Amino acid sequence: DAGVIQSPRHEVTEMGQEVTLRCKPISGHNSLFWYRQTMMRGLELLIYFNNNVPIDDSGMPEDRFSAKMPNASFSTLKIQPSEPRDSAVYFCASRQGNYGYTFGSGTRLTVV
Amino acid sequence: GNSVTQMEGPVTLSEEAFLTINCTYTATGYPSLFWYVQYPGEGLQLLLKATKADDKGSNKGFEATYRKETTSFHLEKGSVQVSDSAVYFCALSDGGGADGLTFGKGTHLIIQP
């Protein structure tokens, strides 16, 4: 199993540009989570999906953030327009039932 | 709401020293408790977990016991190695459904040879 796959690993973009982060969960996992990690706030849950349906997006900081899961093997997190304060490492994780969460390697986003 | 509090770092120890990283939690239900480890430039890896009171999770020489009476899940290791240098996160999951993890701020552990 290749684990949770995130792309890109690093993204540098200019303020105001649209950014799309991608995640491929582990096959057979029915829950998917997006987290953001910063020095100031630590790890924050942004949104999670169960069976491709968004369950809780209360952690999404602003309307500039949106997430989709069009099928069981793919999810995107989009920021439009991006701002310097969005700079962080974004992690995707997946889970099957009561088993442990498996995290991807993360996308380091820098907005200049 | 749920919260996790863990000791501030960095924690610096010599190789073969005994390690304790404290973790306490607040939760409304009966949470599952986890320790995750993050090596530089990598994602989080599950280190160990416990799903009910008095359970002991263990892996790679690390242990933690779910103490409901003190709402704690302290991480211990009898003899640390340089390769244990990483950031350690205590986390909880409230309930058995598809909910998210609530993390502590993380403790940076540095092991010196």
Side-chain angles (χ1 to χ4, degrees), chain A residues 49-66:
Chain A
F49 297 82
N50 189 26
N51 294 322
N52 312 340
V53 176
I55 302 300
D56 184 358
D57 65 354
S58 59
M60 296 285 261
E62 300 172 31
D63 290 345
R64 298 184 295 105
F65 286 70
S66 62

Side-chain angles (χ1 to χ4, degrees), chain B residues 5-47:
Chain B
T5 303
Q6 57 183 110
M7 57 194 298
E8 298 284 333
V11 174
T12 303
L13 296 172
S14 298
E15 204 166 20
E16 299 183 2
F18 184 87
L19 168 70
T20 300
I21 300 178
N22 290 336
C23 171
T24 57
Y25 67 90
T26 302
T28 53
Y30 297 93
S32 295
L33 301 174
F34 306 82
W35 277 101
Y36 279 83
V37 58
Q38 184 178 31
Y39 298 100
E42 298 185 11
L44 281 76
Q45 301 175 25
L46 178 65
L47 182 59

Side-chain angles (χ1 to χ4, degrees), chain A residues 11-21 35-39 41-42 44 46 59-66 77-91 107-112:
Chain A
E11 176 80 32
V12 180
T13 191
E14 292 185 346
M15 182 174 62
Q17 296 298 306
E18 177 181 294
V19 176
T20 299
L21 311 181
Y35 287 87
R36 178 172 68 176
Q37 184 179 34
T38 61
M39 289 293 293
R41 302 174 69 92
E44 304 171 278
L46 301 178
M60 296 285 261
E62 300 172 31
D63 290 345
R64 298 184 295 105
F65 286 70
S66 62
L77 178 67
K78 185 176 293 186
I79 308 172
Q80 166 63 20
S82 57
E83 296 183 3
R85 59 195 169 115
D86 301 331
S87 298
V89 181
Y90 291 81
F91 287 103
T107 295
R108 181 175 295 278
L109 173 65
T110 303
V111 183
V112 297

